Amino acid sequence: MTIINAIDNAPEVLEVIRKLLQTVDMPLNDQIDVLKFFKEFLTIAKTVTLRKSLQIHQPSVINDFMKFITRVLNNKSSEVKQKIDSESGVICESFNDEDKMKESKLLAIGLFTNFIQHDPSQIRNYLIQNDLRHEHRNLLSTVIDMFTDSNCSPVRWQLISALKILLDTFNPPIGMISGGNPQLNPELLNQALAQKTGEDFLNYFYPEYASRLLRPLIDFDKTVFNLSTENSFFFKEKLSEANGEILFHVGELLCNFINQHKYRIKYLVLRNLILQNALLLFKCREKHLQLTGLRIFRATLAVGDEFYFRFFIQHRSFSSLFALYEASGGVKCDNLVTSAILEIFEFIR
């Protein structure tokens, strides 16, 4: 707490921090030290009663942090380095920075999530204003590319948490007048401003970034084209563990989008084969992917939109549901898949 108060009350220290974050060619070990320090700093700073007044949460400082995090996440794995004995000229040690690179990215995502949890509106404003669409490797693009990268499993759990907070929407109370006085209630006003920022961010996120985030499910029919078989309802082979994990998380995000971003996700579903491919998840041999498909099916029904009802009727979607029920054992077997299907029918009834 002493360190936090000292930094917060010393503008010259804040300027040193900003210059440090703006260093483009910072060594990897120094990047890790900076990330570790500020992760601990912000974790303890959460206990401060008026933490929103901390100088480190100023928009200019936040922008420096976001650019620093972007550079860390865009770091490429370095080649293997060799240490040569000065006397004999023989290689005595070989090492690489791959493990340190993974550590730095994990810390950067943790710091990014910390800032989002503190004030998501501020991060949304940064992404809208500073992540120019013609830049291929902006922060949002980097986060989405990492999320859909099969080699980034260690950070995917943190990435999905950050994306959920960024894309979360809520409806504040309509009444903005407090106690019958004509002046505005500050708390309700802040909620209204947060909702406005959330709407602006969704306009920025759809359709380009949303389609990129859901790309594994949009292209799922091409992925499993060679796995289909006529003799069995299920695919003849299992998916890779990485692809299965990505599809599971994409399905979870899609359910949130269907519940919260109703008309936006509807147009995205209309242009792509998202729901058709969600039904293809029924054919996967992995139980958790079958349940992911059922969750998406259930989420679309729960919206109560006639658009989805017409889609299910037109594409005879319930035939796939009955086929999965029979392939999973039907009335002779009581498991998670058959229970989830029976729950869907109970919900419809």
Side-chain angles (χ1 to χ4, degrees), residues 282-317:
F282 293 170
K283 294 179 174 290
C284 293
R285 292 190 174 272
E286 298 84 352
K287 298 294 183 183
H288 67 282
L289 293 182
Q290 296 172 19
L291 292 169
T292 298
L294 291 172
R295 285 183 62 192
I296 297 172
F297 193 93
R298 174 71 164 74
T300 54
L301 287 174
V303 172
D305 193 323
E306 291 188 4
F307 164 79
Y308 295 118
F309 296 162
R310 289 194 298 268
F311 173 88
F312 289 142
I313 295 172
Q314 180 181 356
H315 292 84
R316 301 181 62 85
S317 302

Side-chain angles (χ1 to χ4, degrees), residues 157 160 243-253 288-289 292 295:
W157 283 101
I160 194 171
N243 287 338
E245 181 186 348
I246 292 172
L247 285 169
F248 172 77
H249 291 303
V250 168
E252 185 178 357
L253 285 174
H288 67 282
L289 293 182
T292 298
R295 285 183 62 192

Side-chain angles (χ1 to χ4, degrees), residues 92-107:
C92 60
E93 185 181 2
S94 296
F95 60 96
N96 60 44
D97 291 336
E98 185 175 355
D99 292 338
K100 291 184 178 179
M101 198 75 67
K102 291 180 180 178
E103 182 184 6
S104 66
K105 292 184 178 182
L106 189 61
L107 289 168

Side-chain angles (χ1 to χ4, degrees), residues 52 119 121 170 172 176 184-197:
K52 285 199 173 186
D119 190 356
S121 299
F170 66 95
M176 297 293 293
L184 295 176
N185 185 326
E187 183 178 352
L188 296 179
L189 180 59
N190 289 335
Q191 290 181 354
L193 293 175
Q195 186 191 31
K196 176 65 167 58
T197 304

Side-chain angles (χ1 to χ4, degrees), residues 58-101:
Q58 292 179 1
S60 58
V61 185
I62 293 291
N63 289 356
D64 290 333
F65 269 107
M66 294 300 105
K67 292 175 182 177
F68 175 71
I69 289 172
T70 304
R71 288 196 299 271
V72 173
L73 295 180
N74 284 322
N75 282 342
K76 301 296 182 182
S77 298
S78 59
E79 298 179 355
V80 175
K81 299 179 181 179
Q82 297 176 339
K83 184 177 181 181
I84 302 177
D85 187 88
S86 57
E87 296 181 359
S88 62
V90 178
I91 297 175
C92 60
E93 185 181 2
S94 296
F95 60 96
N96 60 44
D97 291 336
E98 185 175 355
D99 292 338
K100 291 184 178 179
M101 198 75 67

